[in-house]
Amino acid sequence: MTACVVEATAGSEDTPSPPPGCVITVDGTYAARLAASGDSWFPERWTLDGPEPYAVPLPGNQPEEPGTEVQPMSDGRVLIRRLAAGRHAFSLLYPTGPGTGELPLGAVECPGPDTRLRLLPPAPGGDTAYALAVGPHSSTVWLVAGGAFGPEHVARVPGRCSGGVWLDGAGRMLALDRESGGRTKTVVVDLGRGGEVSPLLQIAADSDDRLLLADPDSGLLLIRSDAPCPGEGGRLGWGVLGSTLPVRFPDCLRSAAECAVTPFAIQPGQVLTPESCGVALRIDGPDGSWVGVWRPAERQVRHLPAPQGWLAGAGLWTRDGVLRLPYAGEGAACGVAEWAVPREGPPAGDGGAQAGDTGYTGVTSPEDSVPDGAASAARSVAEPSEPGPPEPAAPRPVPLQQAPLGGRMASR
């Protein structure tokens, strides 16, 4: 199982995406979030790999600040980042009897008020964690958990960086969206070679190109770029790592008026068949948030009702194509809704699914309905005349640092 949390709209650090309701380990075993109790906040760990999910509160000696970050580790402990007097302090929390144990890991002090630090998405393996400090002219990657002597400086990247996507299953290749010279392009940082930086994605010289999600098994990449519509904001597209085929920008992924579409999880395990990967989308509209499901082999987005109390933007796929969405509310302090989303329509080479196909399977309740805007959004972006996806193409088996996408991927 896999899950990623990504930037939502064209955004930079100045226009951040909506924060996810919780953070999930790459293998889907644990999740962590800040839970509310009245006006107070406390960390909470969820265990997701048992017969039923359950939550364990991890309150400290005093309530947490709303901006505090938490991240689950593979051993069940929870990493927490607290900011106080310009210092970002890191600790590992764990349940101990009736209370909460805490192992301090050290702190990172930012050089000035213009430097911001945040945790990067969970690394594969779950035994390490990284943070990104963004300054006026450069960005620094810190190893904040799993090192030998507290926080360790591992890479410095010229320019202001955002995003953060892991490209491999070893937690070595990290993609960042770097702003430099007035344009944003994705670069890859090789943490196994002293933080060596190389270009990864450039669709056009004058476009802003960001990597949102990547699946190491299939090589599927989800991209946002303004290359197909300069001056109109970014559009969602997809490509394959190492492929010579161009990036494609399906019309069905165009955001409808007043709606923001954010990919948050890719189905793993589809080796050499990126077109068959399920992609989960968070759709935020004036009537609320709901879930979209799309595959590159299909030409339509299926709109699903989010479970009541969905921790919006959080979720993961199983290898068998089941989408799992965590939720919490008055009736259920910890729950996971599952959607078995089948692949519909003819194979990729036969033109994909038809625009009118909107079926899905899953468990809903009467109060779980898709907002009215979803149906109109689906109609407004459906484009029956869109050509089907190309035949599957396997990524070339070369190391990622030797397979930059710049110059190989172009807008359709």
Side-chain angles (χ1 to χ4, degrees):
M1 291 183 280
T2 188
C4 292
V5 179
V6 297
E7 298 288 327
T9 54
S12 63
E13 289 291 317
D14 298 322
T15 57
S17 63
C22 71
V23 181
I24 308 175
T25 56
V26 172
D27 64 3
T29 301
Y30 294 104
R33 67 168 185 149
L34 273 189
S37 176
D39 295 332
S40 300
W41 298 86
F42 63 91
E44 188 175 73
R45 186 199 71 191
W46 288 28
T47 300
L48 304 178
D49 64 342
E52 293 185 4
Y54 64 92
V56 176
L58 296 171
N61 296 325
Q62 61 186 29
E64 305 293 345
E65 296 294 327
T68 299
E69 287 186 294
V70 293
Q71 187 172 116
M73 307 295 289
S74 61
D75 60 5
R77 294 184 292 182
V78 172
L79 175 68
I80 187 169
R81 178 193 66 85
R82 301 182 178 104
L83 174 61
R87 299 177 75 249
H88 299 266
F90 299 90
S91 296
L92 289 172
L93 308 178
Y94 54 92
T96 171
T100 301
E102 181 167 340
L103 175 64
L105 298 177
V108 173
E109 186 169 355
C110 292
D114 294 333
T115 300
R116 288 175 287 183
L117 183 144
R118 62 176 176 84
L119 292 175
L120 287 167
D127 55 356
T128 57
Y130 294 84
L132 179 68
V134 182
H137 306 293
S138 65
S139 303
T140 304
V141 179
W142 290 87
L143 173 65
V144 296
F149 307 103
E152 300 176 12
H153 175 283
V154 294
R156 180 182 177 276
V157 182
R160 295 176 56 84
C161 293
S162 59
V165 176
W166 296 101
L167 298 176
D168 65 338
R172 170 177 170 175
M173 310 302 293
L174 174 66
L176 296 171
D177 301 325
R178 178 174 66 178
E179 180 187 352
S180 181
R183 295 295 177 188
T184 299
K185 306 291 182 184
T186 304
V187 298
V188 61
V189 183
D190 187 345
L191 302 182
R193 300 182 65 175
E196 180 181 276
V197 180
S198 57
L200 182 69
L201 176 65
Q202 176 171 299
I203 297 178
D206 58 350
S207 62
D208 290 318
D209 312 313
R210 295 174 171 86
L211 180 63
L212 305 183
L213 286 181
D215 174 58
D217 292 335
S218 64
L220 178 63
L221 306 177
L222 270 294
I223 295 158
R224 192 181 300 276
S225 173
D226 63 357
C229 50
E232 298 181 15
R235 282 185 58 181
L236 283 177
W238 68 280
V240 180
L241 185 65
S243 172
T244 58
L245 296 174
V247 173
R248 296 174 64 85
F249 295 90
D251 287 330
C252 66
L253 293 183
R254 298 187 72 168
S255 299
E258 301 182 343
C259 286
V261 180
T262 308
F264 65 87
I266 300 178
Q267 180 184 354
Q270 313 305 298
V271 179
L272 304 183
T273 56
E275 290 85 358
S276 66
C277 290
V279 178
L281 309 168
R282 169 180 175 173
I283 305 175
D284 297 291
D287 298 315
S289 300
W290 64 96
V291 180
V293 175
W294 168 80
R295 286 185 173 89
E298 300 174 358
R299 290 180 293 167
Q300 48 108 25
V301 174
R302 301 183 188 133
H303 295 263
L304 311 179
Q308 290 290 320
W310 178 41
L311 304 180
L316 59 107
W317 288 91
T318 69
R319 292 176 178 267
D320 297 329
V322 176
L323 179 60
R324 308 189 74 203
L325 302 174
Y327 65 90
E330 295 182 0
C334 174
V336 175
E338 295 189 344
W339 297 88
V341 185
R343 188 187 312 172
E344 293 190 355
D350 293 337
Q354 298 303 309
D357 295 339
T358 56
Y360 59 86
T361 63
V363 178
T364 64
S365 58
E367 65 270 23
D368 288 340
S369 60
V370 178
D372 292 339
S376 60
R379 288 191 296 269
S380 66
V381 299
E383 189 64 42
S385 61
E386 181 190 347
E391 293 290 342
R396 283 177 287 177
V398 295
L400 291 175
Q401 71 269 22
Q402 298 177 19
L405 299 182
R408 297 187 188 147
M409 306 187 81
S411 60
R412 178 165 59 92

